């Protein structure tokens, strides 16, 4: 599968580009403003440049956090060169490079998703049929209980969960639901106009991986998200969970 090869090359180049500065003060220096409207740190810039050098060899349109939209191929790639910049900057080993490949602008036309933890080397991907972690097939949780293990941004009221965690790299956190380590991922944050905070390049590869591992994915209201576009201005408020608790979660939230 070509998309896997390309993703691995991107990951390798990003890894090389940031290996000297991850966890250093230099990593966190602000070097500009991203097209997403948030500051670009040096580590973001170096990672993105490395990723785009590889993707530039192919006929693709890339939608990426710092540069915005580049290229004009029919295949769309949603790219976050570093998801979890704070962790990367501080040397907390939970940050990733993540890419989603789609046949068109539509998320629903996705055909390959890739997430790699750059600190640990843990690699997730999905070919649209199954999903894998380090080459082994993964399945989402089959728990029926809401007294489960949850990742929640942010637990602002009484929730029934047994454990709540926040790791600061949503691409990986959603993969932790895809592989059953956690039972659900919920983002309750509300920004301007009631929109969420997560952008398409943060989470779309992980959503694809979760879906193909048997998890259910929807907006906070229970709506389908696959009609959305791979575009800079999309925002998501998201629930990803094992299939048996999804309806009850949506009702409760
Ligand atoms: C951030 C991470 C984090 C989420 C933020 C994102 P970044 O991405 O995914 O988990 O809570 O909303 O912006 O800025 O590190 O690429
Ligand atoms: Ca991100
Ligand atoms: Ca980023």
């Amino acid at each position: 599968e070509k998309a896997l090869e390309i993703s691995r090359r991107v990951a390798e180049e990003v890894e090389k580009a940031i290996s000297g500065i991850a966890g250093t003060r230099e990593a966190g220096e602000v070097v500009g403003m991203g097209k997403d409207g948030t500051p670009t740190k040096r580590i973001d810039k170096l990672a993105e440049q490395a990723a785009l050098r590889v993707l530039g060899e192919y006929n693709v349109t890339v939608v990426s956090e710092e540069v915005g939209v580049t290229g004009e191929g029919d295949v769309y790639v949603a790219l976050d060169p570093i998801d979890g910049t704070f962790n990367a900057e501080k040397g907390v080993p939970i940050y990733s490079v993540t890419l989603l490949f789609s046949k068109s602008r539509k998320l629903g036309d996705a055909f390959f998703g890739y997430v790699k933890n750059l600190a640990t080397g843990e690699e997730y991907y999905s070919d649209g049929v199954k999903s894998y972690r380090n080459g082994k097939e993964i399945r989402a949780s089959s728990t029926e209980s809401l007294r489960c293990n949850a990742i929640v941004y942010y637990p602002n009221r009484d929730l029934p969960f047994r454990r709540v965690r926040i790791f600061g790299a949503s691409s990986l956190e959603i993969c932790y639901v895809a592989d059953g380590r956690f039972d659900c991922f919920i983002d309750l944050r509300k920004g301007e106009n009631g929109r969420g905070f997560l952008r398409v390049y943060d989470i779309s590869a992980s959503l694809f991986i979760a879906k193909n591992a048997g998890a259910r994915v929807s907006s906070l209201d229970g709506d389908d998200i696959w009609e959305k576009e791979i575009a800079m201005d999309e925002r998501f408020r998201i629930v990803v969970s094992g299939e048996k608790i999804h309806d009850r979660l949506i009702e409760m939230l």
Side-chain angles (χ1 to χ4, degrees):
E1 170 81 87
K2 202 167 165 202
L4 175 58
E5 258 168 61
I6 298 172
S7 301
R8 282 183 169 155
R9 278 191 61 211
V10 168
E12 203 177 302
E13 291 306 314
V14 169
E15 240 168 284
K16 268 194 239 157
I18 66 163
S19 64
I21 69 157
T24 72
R25 170 183 281 258
E26 217 193 323
E29 275 174 60
V30 175
V31 296
M33 200 48 146
K35 275 274 156 52
D36 69 325
T38 66
T40 302
K41 307 274 181 80
R42 185 177 307 280
I43 193 163
D44 298 321
K45 190 83 224 160
L46 288 171
E48 189 177 71
Q49 284 169 343
L52 292 179
R53 271 199 303 275
V54 176
L55 292 171
E57 294 173 26
Y58 302 92
N59 190 22
V60 295
T61 300
V62 183
V63 179
S64 178
E65 179 161 344
E66 320 300 338
V67 296
V69 184
T70 77
E72 45 195 36
D74 292 336
V75 168
Y76 271 66
V77 179
L79 165 73
D80 195 348
I82 301 271
D83 184 51
T85 294
F86 177 86
N87 290 346
E89 191 184 324
K90 302 296 181 187
V92 177
I94 308 178
Y95 51 91
S96 76
V97 58
T98 171
L99 308 101
L100 178 85
F101 291 75
S102 175
K103 275 179 279 185
S104 81
R105 248 181 106 81
K106 258 185 49 194
L107 258 184
D109 286 331
F111 62 91
F112 189 81
Y114 185 89
V115 181
K116 184 175 184 187
N117 182 329
L118 294 169
T120 65
E122 197 160 61
E123 181 192 59
Y124 292 87
Y125 62 83
S126 177
D127 55 12
V129 182
K130 292 178 177 179
S131 299
Y132 304 86
R133 181 183 72 212
N134 295 339
K136 289 212 179 86
E137 193 185 341
I138 51 174
R139 293 302 293 173
S141 143
S142 57
T143 188
E144 296 185 10
S145 169
L146 289 188
R147 205 176 136 65
C148 63
N149 302 316
I151 299 170
V152 188
Y153 287 75
Y154 292 103
N156 54 7
R157 61 183 166 92
D158 266 0
L159 293 166
F161 305 129
R162 175 172 162 78
R163 296 185 183 80
V164 174
R165 301 285 187 268
I166 300 170
F167 300 106
S170 295
S171 59
L172 286 165
E173 290 166 312
I174 293 170
C175 286
Y176 297 164
V177 175
D179 66 10
R181 284 171 168 166
F182 283 82
D183 302 302
C184 61
F185 171 93
I186 298 165
D187 194 332
L188 300 168
R189 289 176 295 174
K190 202 185 222 174
E192 266 172 57
N193 308 323
R195 291 162 25 114
F197 278 84
L198 294 171
R199 290 81 41 100
V200 70
Y201 37 78
D202 292 317
I203 54 166
S204 57
S206 305
L207 296 179
F208 186 73
I209 291 167
K211 179 179 81 155
N212 295 319
R216 279 188 54 200
V217 173
S218 76
S219 77
L220 213 50
D221 306 319
D223 297 335
D224 187 89
I225 52 109
W226 303 102
E227 289 300 313
K228 293 217 187 210
E229 299 212 320
I230 300 174
M232 290 301 285
D233 54 4
E234 288 285 10
R235 293 290 182 279
F236 296 80
R237 298 178 78 209
I238 259 307
V239 179
V240 184
S241 77
E243 55 174 352
K244 292 182 180 152
I245 56 173
H246 200 86
D247 292 336
R248 273 176 289 149
L249 282 174
I250 298 289
E251 235 169 83
M252 179 188 80
L253 295 166

